[in-house]
Structure formats: C-alpha cells, structure tokens
Amino acid sequence: MVNIAVVYHSGYGHTKAIAEAVIDGVKEVTDVDVKLISVEDIDQHWDFLNNQANAIIFGSPTYMGGVSAQFKGFMDASSKHWGSWRDKLAAGFTCSASRSGDKLSTLQHLSVFAAQHQMLWVSLGLMPGNNNSQGSENDVNRLGSFLGMMAQANADQGIEGIRSSDKETAKILGKRVAQATLRWNK
C-alpha cells in the first residue's frame, strides 16, 4: 500500500473540485490510499506528508500569474521540513478563469518547488487535445499542457461551470501518479 497526498488551495471552489477529480483518478488504482489536504489545515498534516506520503500532488489556482498567496504560504512553511520529501513523487495542477491565465507559470513554480524538496516530478503524460480541426472543448488535455494539469473555469460560474473534459484530465493525472507511485515504491 502506498499513500498519496493532494495538497491544494482553492479560493472559490474550482481548484478543490479539480483536486477531488484528481482523487477520483487515484482511487481507480488498487493498493493506493489518498488524502485531500487543504493548505489552510496544513499544520495538522506535516507528519503525514513527511513520513507516510509516498507522493504529493500540488494544486493551486493561478492568481496574477502564479500560485495563490495561501499556497505560497504553505510552500514557505515547508522549508522547515526540507529533506523530508526526498525521492517522493510529485505532480501538479492549476485552474484559472482565463484559457491561458499564465497557468504554465504556476506549474513551473510547483515543479521547481518539488525539485527544491528533492522530489521527482510526474508530468501529465498526455498529448494535447483540441489542437486541430477535429478537436473540441470536450477533449482531454484541451488546454494542451505537458508539465501538469490545467483547468479553466469561467469567473462568473461556480464549480458547475468546470468542463467535464478538465475533470477527466484531472482524473488521468491522479491515476498516472498513483500508478507511478506503485512502480517507484516496489
């Protein structure tokens, strides 16, 4: 049995909904347990992250071209635990209202953060969708990310406005990380 943590911040519920879809993907794999952790409750979960988690999937909304202030606070606080996450797997996801919204910058921030903790980054592992005349908004990876999972949700809609294709892409990321964690921890 391996353990995966999904650590996230969500300002309006969109990123939490994506985190829950990531968890659905993790749950498709046997012999894997998963825990959803909000950065707002992080002080209760350092022991799990340091000692039980075999992988950590990071999720933050993209605000002003980067992670949210709350997620950055978690990142800064994690420096007290430096070295505890060495050789754990890591992956990331983000959501913003704009199709681009500089989400790549957020994923780069998350991957560098993981590297600073000596973690191993797991990419999305999908070819881009919706990038030719046969594509559609219903394609998985419709935003064409490679580094991690990107979602787009309209600013004037709640979580019901999140596209099912983005949720499916999040599930694929969760399943990929779960499978990789099992292989890595054999």
Side-chain angles (χ1 to χ4, degrees):
M1 183 69 98
V2 296
N3 294 303
I4 296 176
V6 178
V7 178
Y8 77 97
H9 171 253
S10 187
Y12 299 96
H14 302 99
T15 307
K16 182 179 183 187
I18 297 300
E20 290 167 345
V22 168
I23 285 178
D24 289 343
V26 170
K27 288 180 177 178
E28 291 181 6
V29 179
T30 58
D31 297 325
V32 179
D33 194 19
V34 62
K35 182 181 277 197
L36 182 65
I37 301 171
S38 169
V39 298
E40 294 163 347
D41 302 322
I42 199 63
D43 287 337
Q44 302 166 36
H45 300 283
W46 289 116
D47 183 64
F48 180 80
L49 294 177
N50 295 340
N51 300 307
Q52 285 98 40
N54 302 100
I56 305 171
I57 304 171
F58 304 110
S60 173
T62 295
Y63 291 163
M64 303 304 293
V67 297
S68 66
Q70 293 87 337
F71 198 89
K72 180 66 167 85
F74 153 72
M75 293 169 80
D76 292 347
S78 76
S79 67
K80 295 175 184 167
H81 305 275
W82 191 82
S84 298
W85 302 348
R86 181 182 180 84
D87 294 334
K88 293 178 189 271
L89 296 187
F93 61 93
T94 188
C95 184
S96 71
S98 299
R99 288 186 61 84
S100 170
D102 296 317
K103 286 187 269 292
L104 178 59
S105 176
T106 298
L107 291 175
Q108 290 169 328
H109 197 162
L110 295 175
S111 66
V112 169
F113 168 65
Q116 289 175 334
H117 274 285
Q118 305 160 343
M119 301 175 81
L120 303 164
W121 189 261
V122 178
S123 67
L124 182 57
L126 291 175
M127 294 299 291
N130 195 26
N131 68 349
N132 60 55
S133 61
Q134 303 302 309
S136 81
E137 290 291 302
N138 297 318
D139 291 350
V140 293
N141 198 18
R142 71 186 178 99
L143 299 176
S145 179
F146 292 98
L147 188 58
M149 189 275 159
M150 293 181 181
Q152 181 268 328
N154 293 331
D156 62 345
Q157 290 182 304
I159 61 171
E160 71 281 353
I162 299 172
R163 289 193 166 276
S164 60
S165 55
D166 287 351
K167 289 181 182 178
E168 185 60 30
T169 305
K171 283 177 64 176
I172 290 168
L173 176 67
K175 184 175 182 178
R176 177 173 165 86
V177 172
Q179 291 169 333
T181 304
L182 283 172
R183 285 194 307 271
W184 181 248
N185 286 279
K186 275 190 175 183

